[in-house]
mmCIF file of all heavy atoms in Angstrom:
data_model
loop_
_atom_site.group_PDB
_atom_site.id
_atom_site.type_symbol
_atom_site.label_atom_id
_atom_site.label_comp_id
_atom_site.label_asym_id
_atom_site.label_seq_id
_atom_site.Cartn_x
_atom_site.Cartn_y
_atom_site.Cartn_z
ATOM 1 N N LEU B 388 -13.937 6.016 19.197
ATOM 2 C CA LEU B 388 -15.389 6.306 18.923
ATOM 3 C C LEU B 388 -16.195 6.539 20.083
ATOM 4 O O LEU B 388 -17.085 7.353 20.118
ATOM 5 C CB LEU B 388 -15.896 5.067 18.104
ATOM 6 C CG LEU B 388 -16.086 5.177 16.631
ATOM 7 C CD1 LEU B 388 -16.644 3.853 16.121
ATOM 8 C CD2 LEU B 388 -16.879 6.339 16.277
ATOM 9 N N SER B 389 -15.892 5.792 21.188
ATOM 10 C CA SER B 389 -16.840 5.974 22.365
ATOM 11 C C SER B 389 -16.678 7.312 22.962
ATOM 12 O O SER B 389 -17.655 7.792 23.649
ATOM 13 C CB SER B 389 -16.310 4.920 23.479
ATOM 14 O OG SER B 389 -15.012 5.227 23.817
ATOM 15 N N GLN B 390 -15.670 8.052 22.677
ATOM 16 C CA GLN B 390 -15.428 9.386 23.209
ATOM 17 C C GLN B 390 -16.350 10.360 22.479
ATOM 18 O O GLN B 390 -16.524 11.528 23.023
ATOM 19 C CB GLN B 390 -13.960 9.851 23.127
ATOM 20 C CG GLN B 390 -13.050 8.995 24.140
ATOM 21 C CD GLN B 390 -11.660 9.356 23.853
ATOM 22 O OE1 GLN B 390 -11.045 9.132 22.761
ATOM 23 N NE2 GLN B 390 -10.931 9.917 24.887
ATOM 24 N N TRP B 391 -16.861 10.023 21.302
ATOM 25 C CA TRP B 391 -17.590 10.875 20.633
ATOM 26 C C TRP B 391 -19.141 10.829 20.916
ATOM 27 O O TRP B 391 -20.021 11.574 20.418
ATOM 28 C CB TRP B 391 -17.550 10.685 19.096
ATOM 29 C CG TRP B 391 -16.205 11.266 18.577
ATOM 30 C CD1 TRP B 391 -14.921 10.964 19.000
ATOM 31 C CD2 TRP B 391 -16.046 12.221 17.556
ATOM 32 N NE1 TRP B 391 -14.056 11.663 18.362
ATOM 33 C CE2 TRP B 391 -14.641 12.433 17.475
ATOM 34 C CE3 TRP B 391 -16.919 12.961 16.745
ATOM 35 C CZ2 TRP B 391 -14.194 13.385 16.484
ATOM 36 C CZ3 TRP B 391 -16.485 13.850 15.845
ATOM 37 C CH2 TRP B 391 -15.032 14.051 15.710
ATOM 38 N N ALA B 392 -19.451 9.970 21.958
ATOM 39 C CA ALA B 392 -20.855 9.731 22.300
ATOM 40 C C ALA B 392 -21.464 10.986 22.861
ATOM 41 O O ALA B 392 -20.823 11.761 23.728
ATOM 42 C CB ALA B 392 -21.001 8.673 23.381
ATOM 43 N N GLY B 393 -22.627 11.429 22.382
ATOM 44 C CA GLY B 393 -23.310 12.553 22.823
ATOM 45 C C GLY B 393 -22.674 13.848 22.540
ATOM 46 O O GLY B 393 -22.827 14.904 23.194
ATOM 47 N N LEU B 394 -21.865 13.858 21.483
ATOM 48 C CA LEU B 394 -21.075 15.152 21.135
ATOM 49 C C LEU B 394 -21.993 16.304 20.761
ATOM 50 O O LEU B 394 -21.720 17.486 21.036
ATOM 51 C CB LEU B 394 -20.099 14.864 20.068
ATOM 52 C CG LEU B 394 -18.970 15.902 19.932
ATOM 53 C CD1 LEU B 394 -17.890 15.589 20.907
ATOM 54 C CD2 LEU B 394 -18.379 16.011 18.527
ATOM 55 N N ALA B 395 -23.163 15.998 20.186
ATOM 56 C CA ALA B 395 -24.096 16.973 19.712
ATOM 57 C C ALA B 395 -24.599 17.793 20.833
ATOM 58 O O ALA B 395 -24.848 19.088 20.711
ATOM 59 C CB ALA B 395 -25.251 16.361 18.983
ATOM 60 N N ALA B 396 -24.741 17.249 22.028
ATOM 61 C CA ALA B 396 -25.191 18.075 23.192
ATOM 62 C C ALA B 396 -24.087 19.077 23.664
ATOM 63 O O ALA B 396 -24.462 20.130 24.069
ATOM 64 C CB ALA B 396 -25.505 17.049 24.322
ATOM 65 N N ARG B 397 -22.812 18.682 23.429
ATOM 66 C CA ARG B 397 -21.711 19.522 23.800
ATOM 67 C C ARG B 397 -21.498 20.601 22.879
ATOM 68 O O ARG B 397 -21.191 21.827 23.189
ATOM 69 C CB ARG B 397 -20.516 18.774 24.010
ATOM 70 C CG ARG B 397 -20.212 18.266 25.405
ATOM 71 C CD ARG B 397 -18.759 17.951 25.630
ATOM 72 N NE ARG B 397 -18.720 16.989 26.701
ATOM 73 C CZ ARG B 397 -18.635 15.686 26.604
ATOM 74 N NH1 ARG B 397 -18.578 15.173 25.385
ATOM 75 N NH2 ARG B 397 -18.727 14.916 27.629
ATOM 76 N N VAL B 457 -21.358 6.874 13.282
ATOM 77 C CA VAL B 457 -20.805 8.100 13.961
ATOM 78 C C VAL B 457 -21.858 9.045 14.264
ATOM 79 O O VAL B 457 -21.913 9.683 15.427
ATOM 80 C CB VAL B 457 -19.696 8.707 13.102
ATOM 81 C CG1 VAL B 457 -19.119 9.898 13.745
ATOM 82 C CG2 VAL B 457 -18.578 7.608 12.888
ATOM 83 N N ILE B 458 -22.816 9.303 13.326
ATOM 84 C CA ILE B 458 -23.819 10.307 13.487
ATOM 85 C C ILE B 458 -24.756 9.841 14.617
ATOM 86 O O ILE B 458 -25.140 10.647 15.501
ATOM 87 C CB ILE B 458 -24.607 10.529 12.157
ATOM 88 C CG1 ILE B 458 -23.655 10.891 11.034
ATOM 89 C CG2 ILE B 458 -25.782 11.384 12.295
ATOM 90 C CD1 ILE B 458 -24.353 10.951 9.677
ATOM 91 N N VAL B 459 -25.214 8.624 14.608
ATOM 92 C CA VAL B 459 -26.011 8.090 15.599
ATOM 93 C C VAL B 459 -25.414 8.280 17.038
ATOM 94 O O VAL B 459 -26.094 8.713 17.978
ATOM 95 C CB VAL B 459 -26.364 6.608 15.431
ATOM 96 C CG1 VAL B 459 -27.150 5.972 16.571
ATOM 97 C CG2 VAL B 459 -27.229 6.481 14.133
ATOM 98 N N LEU B 460 -24.119 7.949 17.016
ATOM 99 C CA LEU B 460 -23.413 8.081 18.308
ATOM 100 C C LEU B 460 -23.381 9.500 18.813
ATOM 101 O O LEU B 460 -23.537 9.738 19.975
ATOM 102 C CB LEU B 460 -21.967 7.557 18.022
ATOM 103 C CG LEU B 460 -21.251 7.067 19.319
ATOM 104 C CD1 LEU B 460 -21.841 5.822 19.815
ATOM 105 C CD2 LEU B 460 -19.779 6.761 18.920
ATOM 106 N N MET B 461 -23.190 10.495 17.924
ATOM 107 C CA MET B 461 -23.097 11.913 18.331
ATOM 108 C C MET B 461 -24.471 12.386 18.818
ATOM 109 O O MET B 461 -24.481 13.201 19.657
ATOM 110 C CB MET B 461 -22.591 12.710 17.153
ATOM 111 C CG MET B 461 -21.105 12.565 16.856
ATOM 112 S SD MET B 461 -20.503 13.743 15.647
ATOM 113 C CE MET B 461 -21.562 13.504 14.295
ATOM 114 N N TYR B 462 -25.577 11.959 18.187
ATOM 115 C CA TYR B 462 -26.804 12.597 18.426
ATOM 116 C C TYR B 462 -27.685 11.747 19.488
ATOM 117 O O TYR B 462 -28.496 12.371 20.109
ATOM 118 C CB TYR B 462 -27.631 12.763 17.084
ATOM 119 C CG TYR B 462 -27.167 14.003 16.368
ATOM 120 C CD1 TYR B 462 -26.218 13.840 15.374
ATOM 121 C CD2 TYR B 462 -27.651 15.214 16.720
ATOM 122 C CE1 TYR B 462 -25.729 14.948 14.668
ATOM 123 C CE2 TYR B 462 -27.257 16.315 15.983
ATOM 124 C CZ TYR B 462 -26.314 16.208 14.986
ATOM 125 O OH TYR B 462 -25.879 17.284 14.373
ATOM 126 N N PHE B 463 -27.525 10.470 19.394
ATOM 127 C CA PHE B 463 -28.530 9.633 20.162
ATOM 128 C C PHE B 463 -27.884 8.926 21.344
ATOM 129 O O PHE B 463 -28.577 8.097 21.942
ATOM 130 C CB PHE B 463 -29.296 8.708 19.288
ATOM 131 C CG PHE B 463 -30.024 9.346 18.206
ATOM 132 C CD1 PHE B 463 -29.510 9.210 16.878
ATOM 133 C CD2 PHE B 463 -31.055 10.270 18.415
ATOM 134 C CE1 PHE B 463 -30.127 9.846 15.776
ATOM 135 C CE2 PHE B 463 -31.662 10.912 17.350
ATOM 136 C CZ PHE B 463 -31.209 10.769 16.138
ATOM 137 N N SER B 464 -26.602 9.200 21.727
ATOM 138 C CA SER B 464 -25.978 8.609 22.964
ATOM 139 C C SER B 464 -25.907 9.564 24.017
ATOM 140 O O SER B 464 -25.858 10.777 23.801
ATOM 141 C CB SER B 464 -24.684 7.968 22.596
ATOM 142 O OG SER B 464 -24.887 7.035 21.561
ATOM 143 N N GLU B 465 -25.928 9.040 25.237
ATOM 144 C CA GLU B 465 -25.691 9.862 26.403
ATOM 145 C C GLU B 465 -24.282 10.312 26.447
ATOM 146 O O GLU B 465 -23.345 9.458 26.200
ATOM 147 C CB GLU B 465 -26.060 9.153 27.738
ATOM 148 C CG GLU B 465 -27.519 8.964 27.926
ATOM 149 C CD GLU B 465 -28.270 10.245 27.886
ATOM 150 O OE1 GLU B 465 -27.894 11.140 28.687
ATOM 151 O OE2 GLU B 465 -29.280 10.406 27.090
ATOM 152 N N PRO B 466 -23.931 11.527 26.687
ATOM 153 C CA PRO B 466 -22.499 11.901 26.797
ATOM 154 C C PRO B 466 -21.894 11.288 27.955
ATOM 155 O O PRO B 466 -22.555 10.998 29.034
ATOM 156 C CB PRO B 466 -22.549 13.432 27.037
ATOM 157 C CG PRO B 466 -23.972 13.862 26.902
ATOM 158 C CD PRO B 466 -24.862 12.650 26.863
ATOM 159 N N VAL B 467 -20.591 10.790 27.785
ATOM 160 C CA VAL B 467 -19.890 10.093 28.859
ATOM 161 C C VAL B 467 -19.280 11.115 29.843
ATOM 162 O O VAL B 467 -18.919 12.210 29.334
ATOM 163 C CB VAL B 467 -18.785 9.175 28.386
ATOM 164 C CG1 VAL B 467 -19.337 7.846 27.817
ATOM 165 C CG2 VAL B 467 -17.976 9.877 27.262
ATOM 166 N N ALA B 468 -19.266 10.748 31.124
ATOM 167 C CA ALA B 468 -18.684 11.677 32.083
ATOM 168 C C ALA B 468 -17.160 11.765 31.826
ATOM 169 O O ALA B 468 -16.512 10.772 31.421
ATOM 170 C CB ALA B 468 -18.897 11.198 33.494
ATOM 171 N N GLY B 469 -16.578 12.991 31.908
ATOM 172 C CA GLY B 469 -15.173 13.084 31.744
ATOM 173 C C GLY B 469 -14.769 12.929 30.284
ATOM 174 O O GLY B 469 -13.669 12.546 29.932
ATOM 175 N N GLY B 470 -15.778 13.194 29.339
ATOM 176 C CA GLY B 470 -15.498 12.994 27.916
ATOM 177 C C GLY B 470 -14.685 14.140 27.366
ATOM 178 O O GLY B 470 -14.176 15.011 28.136
ATOM 179 N N PRO B 471 -14.342 14.086 26.113
ATOM 180 C CA PRO B 471 -13.443 15.209 25.527
ATOM 181 C C PRO B 471 -14.115 16.495 25.381
ATOM 182 O O PRO B 471 -15.344 16.669 25.545
ATOM 183 C CB PRO B 471 -13.262 14.618 24.161
ATOM 184 C CG PRO B 471 -14.455 13.791 23.839
ATOM 185 C CD PRO B 471 -14.946 13.270 25.081
#
Side-chain angles (χ1 to χ4, degrees):
Chain B
L388 261 181
S389 63
Q390 291 172 298
W391 283 58
L394 197 83
R397 268 203 202 95
V457 178
I458 301 175
V459 170
L460 205 65
M461 287 191 302
Y462 281 94
F463 303 112
S464 298
E465 289 302 310
V467 280

